[in-house]
Amino acid sequence: MRKSAGVLAAGAVAALALTACSTGDGETPGDSTDATVDAVEVDCADFEQYGDLSGKTVTIYAGIVAPEDTPYMTSFEPFEECTGATVDYQADKQFEQQILVRAQAGNTPDIAIVPQPGLLAQLVATGTVVPAPEGVAANVDEFWGESWKDLGTVDGTFYAAPSGASVKSLVWYSPTQFEENGYEVPETLDDLMALTEQIAADGNNKPWCAGIASGEATGWPLTDWMEDMVLRVGGPDVYDQWVSHEIAFDSEVPTQALDAVGEYLKNPDYVNGGIGDVSTIATTAFQDAGLPILDGQCSLHRMASFYAANFPEGTDVADDGDVFAFYLPSEDSSTKPVLGAGEFVTAFSDRPEVQALLEFWSTDTWANLKAAASSEETGGGWITANSGLDTDNLVNPIDLLSAEILLDPASEFRFDGSDQMPAAVGSGAFWKESTNWITGQSTADTLSKIEAAWP
């Protein structure tokens, strides 16, 4: 059985099968099933606030497809069992294009999982999105930081609660290589540069490996690099000003930040381990760029938490394994800016059953059900910044590291900047000119061209 209120018990990851929910009188609003596994108990009394929703259906539309969609469906089972509602989850790889088409045509789902604040703003502009209910707002106030609520707010109105999250401020490395060579995980940016210099001086390999090729999206890994450096050189407040274009793209802090990236990626002594010279960064697929760590041909690779999935099957990803990651440090170890991404849940209907699912979705209860389901069914790969997350429901070491970073009170989270900028910049000039920069264009020319593209 499952538990619906509060944080899930430790060990919930051991089993997550659909079970009947007890209402206290032995009945459920919907059809009940026998428990197939002794999992986490659900007390349907905790769902009474949502009412009897028997016969009601809520449609969800998202870009999260198989196999990652399965834990989502599992996480909604207690809501279905205890309220009698049906949750219809629909996944589409073309979600980001199709949801706008559907909104403009008036053919919207009840709920959408939106991966970028910029897309949320576009949807709100169609006039089809409804504000988040008060219960959702209260949960977000309780379980997330203010910056997360701001990301789901458009023109002063709160529309979308945060859901999943990822951490981008990570550097991948080989714990075995570090131990053999006496390398220490850096605690400041100065430490990171000192480590880079030490690895280069040792001469066993190039310190860094990198790749930015990604088809039409070539260049995006460099935007992440720059965003991380803007956060560290200028701090979160300046980062916000840069992302919203309150300061110019080619102003002082962004210039310092891109030059700081260049100290690593444009130095032929530091890159591109196991692949070639600096010029190979532009033609190396980002999926392949970190793999030379496994062969000892490079030592460091800056890439988000999701990169764990790119290592070959059987790779031991752990702090004492074949590869692991550490937090990309800041200039001062007392500060902890974190670059990341996430998902937001917004609705196009204010029907009671839709509002009820939204409220349940924004609780710590749902967050733990989803984390446990992901651990059990896909081996992890999903975390949240919900402060009610019980990390005992995580089994993946990178998930645990990412959650530790996100939930650290010292962390100051900022969403991926290019995802918040106008498309002409964030997925246009920023990608293109970053690619030109790594192949020889100057910092000044690069940033001035991006600035000129701002609409």
Side-chain angles (χ1 to χ4, degrees):
M1 302 291 286
R2 302 174 192 264
K3 181 179 179 182
S4 68
V7 176
L8 295 187
V13 296
L16 284 160
L18 176 60
T19 66
C21 301
S22 170
T23 58
D25 57 6
E27 298 180 356
T28 63
D31 294 335
S32 64
T33 60
D34 293 332
T36 57
V37 186
D38 183 18
V40 182
E41 289 192 8
V42 165
D43 182 356
C44 281
D46 295 317
F47 285 74
E48 290 179 357
Q49 61 183 305
Y50 305 129
D52 183 351
L53 303 175
S54 298
K56 305 295 185 181
T57 297
V58 181
T59 59
I60 298 171
Y61 186 52
I64 303 159
V65 300
E68 287 78 13
D69 57 351
T70 304
Y72 271 97
M73 290 183 274
T74 298
S75 72
F76 300 129
E77 289 171 358
F79 179 84
E80 293 179 292
E81 285 292 301
C82 293
T83 67
T86 297
V87 177
D88 179 12
Y89 182 99
Q90 304 169 359
D92 184 353
K93 289 184 178 180
Q94 302 301 316
F95 166 84
E96 292 181 41
Q97 294 77 31
Q98 290 302 310
I99 188 60
L100 279 170
V101 172
R102 291 181 62 173
Q104 290 161 353
N107 179 30
T108 56
D110 293 324
I111 294 174
I113 304 176
V114 181
Q116 300 110 9
L119 179 56
L120 174 64
Q122 288 180 278
L123 290 170
V124 170
T126 68
T128 58
V129 181
V130 300
E134 291 182 5
V136 171
N139 285 334
V140 172
D141 288 339
E142 180 177 359
F143 297 117
W144 277 272
E146 183 178 348
S147 63
W148 279 101
K149 190 173 185 181
D150 289 344
L151 290 166
T153 299
V154 179
D155 295 332
T157 299
F158 177 54
Y159 289 98
S163 181
S166 64
V167 173
K168 295 195 171 191
S169 299
L170 293 178
V171 178
W172 292 85
Y173 73 108
S174 164
T176 301
Q177 183 191 113
F178 268 45
E179 183 176 2
E180 290 175 350
N181 292 279
Y183 300 148
E184 300 279 342
V185 170
E187 296 185 1
T188 66
L189 276 181
D190 285 344
D191 292 344
L192 182 63
M193 180 54 74
L195 173 63
T196 300
E197 293 169 348
Q198 181 183 357
I199 295 170
D202 288 348
N204 298 318
N205 57 22
K206 293 291 180 69
W208 290 86
C209 44
I212 65 167
S214 184
E216 294 181 358
T218 292
W220 73 257
L222 279 175
T223 71
D224 283 2
W225 261 99
M226 183 177 175
E227 288 158 10
D228 251 330
M229 286 302 179
V230 171
L231 268 174
R232 283 151 180 77
V233 172
D237 290 343
V238 173
Y239 178 87
D240 294 341
Q241 295 167 12
W242 173 62
V243 169
S244 63
H245 206 220
E246 293 177 41
I247 62 173
F249 218 100
D250 53 356
S251 56
E252 181 180 1
V253 168
T255 300
Q256 292 174 347
L258 189 56
D259 281 341
V261 177
E263 290 180 8
Y264 295 100
L265 297 188
K266 282 198 168 185
N267 188 328
D269 294 332
Y270 296 164
V271 294
N272 191 15
I275 300 171
D277 58 17
V278 174
S279 66
T280 64
I281 293 175
T283 56
T284 299
F286 82 90
Q287 298 96 327
D288 300 332
L291 302 184
I293 293 175
L294 296 175
D295 301 325
Q297 298 182 79
C298 69
S299 301
L300 304 166
H301 178 55
R302 188 228 155 274
M303 183 52 70
S305 55
F306 61 72
Y307 194 76
N310 289 281
F311 290 106
E313 185 176 353
T315 301
D316 184 12
V317 180
D319 59 5
D320 58 353
D322 301 324
V323 291
F324 200 52
F326 59 79
Y327 165 72
L328 177 66
S330 62
E331 290 190 321
D332 181 347
S333 59
S334 66
T335 63
K336 201 167 187 177
V338 179
L339 180 70
E343 304 153 359
F344 300 84
V345 181
T346 197
F348 302 88
S349 170
D350 60 2
R351 299 197 318 275
E353 61 271 24
V354 177
Q355 304 281 284
L357 181 57
L358 286 175
E359 186 167 341
F360 168 66
W361 201 331
S362 64
T363 63
D364 57 340
T365 303
W366 178 84
N368 283 289
L369 283 166
K370 177 61 171 66
S374 295
S375 293
E376 174 69 14
E377 297 169 357
T378 61
W382 186 91
I383 59 168
T384 178
N386 186 310
S387 63
L389 177 67
D390 183 351
T391 56
D392 285 340
N393 289 316
L394 304 175
V395 296
N396 184 308
I398 286 296
D399 291 351
L400 285 162
L401 172 66
S402 299
E404 177 185 324
I405 292 170
L406 283 175
L407 300 177
D408 186 336
S411 294
E412 292 193 70
F413 181 89
R414 289 298 185 272
F415 203 90
D416 181 285
S418 62
D419 283 348
Q420 300 180 73
M421 295 173 183
V425 179
S427 56
F430 202 177
W431 290 353
K432 176 184 176 182
E433 300 305 334
S434 293
T435 303
N436 291 337
W437 174 80
I438 201 62
T439 56
Q441 183 171 269
S442 71
T443 294
D445 285 348
T446 297
L447 297 183
S448 66
K449 288 179 180 179
I450 301 172
E451 171 65 21
W454 202 284

